[in-house]
């Protein structure tokens, strides 16, 4: 590869100011939110239009240079860490909301729009975009789509995939295609757009996203249930779902996390219980009131020490904000924070929490546990120091135990963070038949020269 000729061609295409080459500029783009994974790119490109993206991809093809696609870099699986001798294609400058269609309940956005800005843009119209990843204040909608992000509201409303109606994508050969439309029903051919959702930048570059919106719920109630036993908290979750109540949010926080969050957020959370459930129900006022009372009753039946109901919108927001701050609160304790992401059948949650406690003792590690109990998504969070080689060896052993146990229990190694670099070693063990080979065949079909985010999800 003639690097100098490639860079000169890229400068001619998008301008010298949009091709970053100095080491001090490249460092920021050499890692994401995943601990221990770093690699400097050859250059960082900041296009503004789909035509510029297409031109960059065509030049990458011509010079046989791999491309790593990036948004805000909040990923937690190494998906946006540059590959060897690659250029980074950063889409943050493509940050416009292009259309809010109130008749069809859709929104068209470029990939660099911050997720939270979508909610703010549609708020005046009493519309609602439910997916709410923990990084929503800084993550981009393109990154959300590329990783099929989830969030606290996933139990009731689903994940990003459930709200993507159309995509504009630049393929690995530079061609620009549109997939999907504003139609509620469409079974014309294969659903190709769904291949790109969750593909982690390995199949194409997303340059526009058409999102489905829904009417904003008119009422909401937030409850906090306190437990002296994690097992009782887990059983409460199963009972709530068994009674055909689907809360908007059904979150779990263990004691370690609780203490860290309260120290960080100072919202008056209790510090003397083993587990807390944060539960939110929304919808029609009458339905919300009835569900909140049923949830309160069921929690008490499963030995909740106390069930608090937020008395104001401010209190409800404070409780939800406290839960969202769990990662930030824990990150203050040790130099390195590894936020894991496994999902299990709900009836296995109690067993998995106990297993996490066991591996923490086995390997002498600090592990906090919180997560989206309602949809079975747990976030065991290991607090460590990546400069301590002996401790990091124990960390990797604990992670391997965690992933293998998850697979054994019928779960998945990732519910919302993606595979990236961090988990690809375990993907084949989850895919036990020809389906793993099929994944590689899909990649080869869309990216024959293996230029887009190579080495992510699996080794080519």
């Amino acid at each position: 590869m003639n690097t100098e000729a490639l860079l000169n061609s890229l400068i001619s295409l998008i301008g010298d100011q949009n091709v970053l080459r100095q080491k001090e500029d490249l460092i920021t783009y050499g890692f994401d939110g995943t601990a221990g994974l770093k690699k400097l790119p050859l250059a960082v490109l900041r296009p503004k239009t789909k035509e510029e993206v297409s031109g960059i991809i065509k030049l990458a093809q011509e010079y046989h240079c791999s491309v790593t696609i990036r948004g805000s870099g909040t990923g937690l699986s190494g998906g946006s860490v540059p590959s060897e001798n690659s250029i980074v294609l950063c889409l943050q400058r493509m940050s416009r909301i292009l259309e809010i269609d109130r008749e069809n309940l859709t929104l068209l956005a470029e990939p660099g729009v911050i997720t939270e800005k979508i909610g703010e843009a549609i708020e005046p119209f009493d519309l609602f975009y439910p997916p709410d990843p923990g990084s929503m204040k800084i993550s981009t909608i393109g990154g959300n789509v590329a990783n099929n992000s989830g969030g606290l509201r996933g139990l009731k409303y689903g994940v990003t995939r459930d709200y993507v109606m159309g995509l504009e994508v630049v393929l690995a050969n530079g061609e620009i295609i549109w997939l999907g439309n504003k139609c509620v029903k469409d079974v014309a051919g294969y659903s190709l757009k769904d291949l790109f959702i969750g593909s982690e930048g390995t199949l194409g570059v997303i340059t526009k996203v058409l999102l489905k919106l829904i009417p904003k719920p008119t009422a909401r109630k937030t409850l906090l249930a306190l437990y002296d036993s994690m097992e009782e908290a887990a059983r409460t979750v199963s009972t709530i779902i068994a009674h055909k109540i689907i809360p908007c949010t059904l979150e779990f926080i263990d004691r370690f996390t609780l203490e860290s969050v309260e120290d960080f957020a100072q919202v008056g959370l209790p510090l003397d219980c083993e587990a807390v459930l944060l539960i939110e129900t929304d919808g029609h006022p009458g339905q919300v009131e009835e569900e909140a009372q049923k949830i309160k009753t069921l929690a008490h039946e499963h030995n909740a020490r106390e069930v608090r109901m937020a008395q104001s919108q401010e209190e409800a927001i404070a409780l939800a904000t406290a839960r969202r701050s769990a990662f930030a609160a824990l990150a203050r304790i040790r130099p390195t924070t590894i936020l894991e992401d496994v999902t299990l059948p709900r009836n296995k949650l109690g067993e998995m929490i106990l297993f996490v406690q066991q591996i923490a003792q086995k390997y002498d590690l600090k592990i906090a546990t919180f997560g989206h109990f309602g949809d079975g998504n747990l976030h065991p969070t290991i607090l460590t120091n990546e400069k301590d080689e002996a401790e990091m060896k124990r960390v990797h052993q604990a992670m391997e135990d965690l992933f293998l146990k998850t697979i054994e229990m019928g779960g998945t190694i990732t519910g919302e963070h993606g595979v990236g670099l961090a988990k690809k070693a375990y993907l084949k063990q989850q895919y036990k038949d020809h389906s793993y080979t099929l994944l590689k065949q899909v990649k080869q079909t869309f990216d024959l020269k293996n230029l887009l985010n190579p080495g992510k999800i699996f080794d080519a």
Side-chain angles (χ1 to χ4, degrees):
M1 179 177 63
N2 188 331
T3 303
E4 184 176 353
L6 170 62
L7 292 176
N8 288 335
S9 297
L10 291 169
I11 290 169
S12 297
L13 178 65
I14 63 175
D16 184 67
Q17 71 278 15
N18 294 313
V19 181
L20 308 182
R21 290 156 289 166
Q22 300 301 316
K23 184 177 180 179
E24 56 267 30
D25 294 324
L26 300 182
I27 288 173
T28 302
Y29 300 88
F31 60 92
D32 63 6
T34 317
L37 297 175
K38 298 179 178 68
K39 177 72 69 174
L40 287 184
L42 297 174
V44 175
L45 315 176
R46 303 174 69 244
K48 185 69 175 176
T49 67
K50 63 182 179 183
E51 289 81 12
E52 289 181 348
V53 172
S54 174
I56 290 167
I57 296 300
K58 288 177 180 177
L59 286 171
Q61 285 273 358
E62 180 181 344
Y63 287 92
H64 305 285
C65 180
S66 61
V67 181
T68 302
I69 302 101
R70 184 183 178 97
S72 293
T74 61
L76 292 164
S77 66
S80 57
V81 175
S83 307
E84 188 74 31
N85 295 320
S86 72
I87 53 177
V88 165
L89 180 55
C90 180
L91 302 175
Q92 284 182 302
R93 292 180 67 226
M94 300 178 69
S95 58
R96 296 177 298 163
I97 293 177
L98 302 171
E99 178 191 61
I100 298 174
D101 185 341
R102 297 169 64 187
E103 292 182 321
N104 289 301
L105 297 183
T106 62
L107 178 145
L108 183 65
E110 292 181 322
V113 174
I114 300 297
T115 312
E116 188 176 58
K117 298 297 182 184
I118 290 172
E120 293 174 356
I122 60 180
E123 176 74 23
F125 308 113
D126 287 328
L127 295 174
F128 186 39
Y129 176 67
D132 59 336
S135 58
M136 63 188 295
K137 291 181 180 294
I138 50 174
S139 64
T140 60
I141 192 62
N144 290 176
V145 174
N147 288 279
N148 192 24
S149 300
L152 276 68
R153 295 192 283 250
L155 169 62
K156 182 173 183 178
Y157 291 108
V159 296
T160 301
R161 181 186 302 279
D162 301 306
Y163 296 88
V164 177
M165 299 185 73
L167 293 173
E168 181 182 82
V169 180
V170 178
L171 299 176
N173 61 5
E175 290 182 2
I176 303 170
I177 61 169
W178 176 265
L179 303 168
N181 50 54
K182 294 182 179 181
C183 298
V184 175
K185 295 179 179 179
D186 180 6
V187 293
Y190 302 128
S191 183
L192 292 176
K193 70 176 173 61
D194 286 296
L195 280 174
F196 292 90
I197 303 168
S199 65
E200 302 184 34
T202 62
L203 301 182
V205 186
I206 297 166
T207 51
K208 285 191 182 72
V209 182
L210 180 67
L211 296 172
K212 177 178 72 174
L213 308 175
I214 63 175
K216 184 180 178 181
T218 54
R220 177 178 287 111
K221 280 192 177 295
T222 302
L223 301 90
L224 195 71
L226 317 181
Y227 294 85
D228 294 321
S229 161
M230 285 189 290
E231 291 82 357
E232 293 287 9
R235 280 194 281 270
T236 300
V237 172
S238 297
T239 301
I240 290 171
I241 304 300
H243 278 74
K244 300 179 177 62
I245 302 171
I246 307 297
C248 167
T249 298
L250 188 41
E251 296 289 299
F252 164 83
I253 306 173
D254 73 357
R255 184 169 189 159
F256 186 8
T257 309
L258 192 66
E259 292 171 351
S260 302
V261 168
E262 177 57 23
D263 182 58
F264 177 76
Q266 299 288 313
V267 294
L269 294 171
L271 299 178
D272 61 342
C273 54
E274 291 301 316
V276 163
L277 293 181
L278 174 67
I279 309 168
E280 186 176 84
T281 176
D282 67 356
H284 186 274
Q287 175 195 1
V288 168
E289 181 64 35
E290 180 181 351
E291 285 187 351
Q293 293 302 325
K294 285 183 178 179
I295 290 170
K296 186 175 182 179
T297 298
L298 292 172
H300 280 304
E301 288 178 359
H302 284 79
N303 300 318
R305 181 209 301 174
E306 182 185 352
V307 181
R308 301 178 184 177
M309 196 172 297
Q311 299 302 307
S312 65
Q313 183 178 2
E314 290 73 22
E315 185 181 358
I317 291 173
L319 291 173
T321 301
R323 161 59 186 89
R324 291 183 188 279
S325 68
F327 180 75
L330 291 166
R332 302 185 309 158
I333 297 174
R334 295 291 307 277
T336 305
T337 308
I338 301 175
L339 179 64
E340 269 313 330
D341 160 51
V342 295
T343 303
L344 300 107
R346 282 186 290 255
N347 64 349
K348 301 289 187 180
L349 288 171
E351 182 181 348
M352 177 54 80
I353 290 171
L354 291 175
F355 181 76
V356 171
Q357 292 178 326
Q358 291 167 6
I359 62 173
Q361 292 180 340
K362 177 181 178 181
Y363 295 108
D364 189 24
L365 298 170
K366 289 184 179 295
I367 306 181
T369 305
F370 61 93
H372 319 305
F373 242 39
D375 56 27
N377 191 194
L378 282 184
H379 293 308
T381 304
I382 304 174
L383 308 178
T384 184
N385 183 351
E386 62 183 294
K387 294 181 179 179
D388 185 333
E389 293 184 8
E391 185 169 84
M392 286 304 296
K393 183 177 180 179
R394 300 198 308 274
V395 167
H396 290 303
Q397 290 172 329
M399 289 166 60
E400 181 171 353
D401 285 3
L402 174 66
F403 295 141
L404 294 179
K405 182 68 171 179
T406 297
I407 294 169
E408 177 190 320
M409 296 171 70
T412 174
I413 59 174
T414 176
E416 53 188 10
H417 292 173
V419 177
L421 292 172
K423 297 185 179 181
K424 66 178 183 178
Y426 304 99
L427 185 65
K428 190 172 184 178
Q429 291 165 280
Q430 182 173 323
Y431 281 74
K432 297 183 183 302
D433 54 22
H434 185 69
S435 53
Y436 183 78
T437 303
L438 190 60
L439 286 177
K440 291 189 173 185
Q441 290 174 341
V442 170
K443 167 68 170 174
Q444 187 175 28
T445 299
F446 280 89
D447 184 13
L448 184 61
K449 295 183 179 179
N450 192 33
L451 295 182
L452 299 181
N453 225 6
K456 310 300 170 58
I457 303 180
F458 42 70
D459 293 319

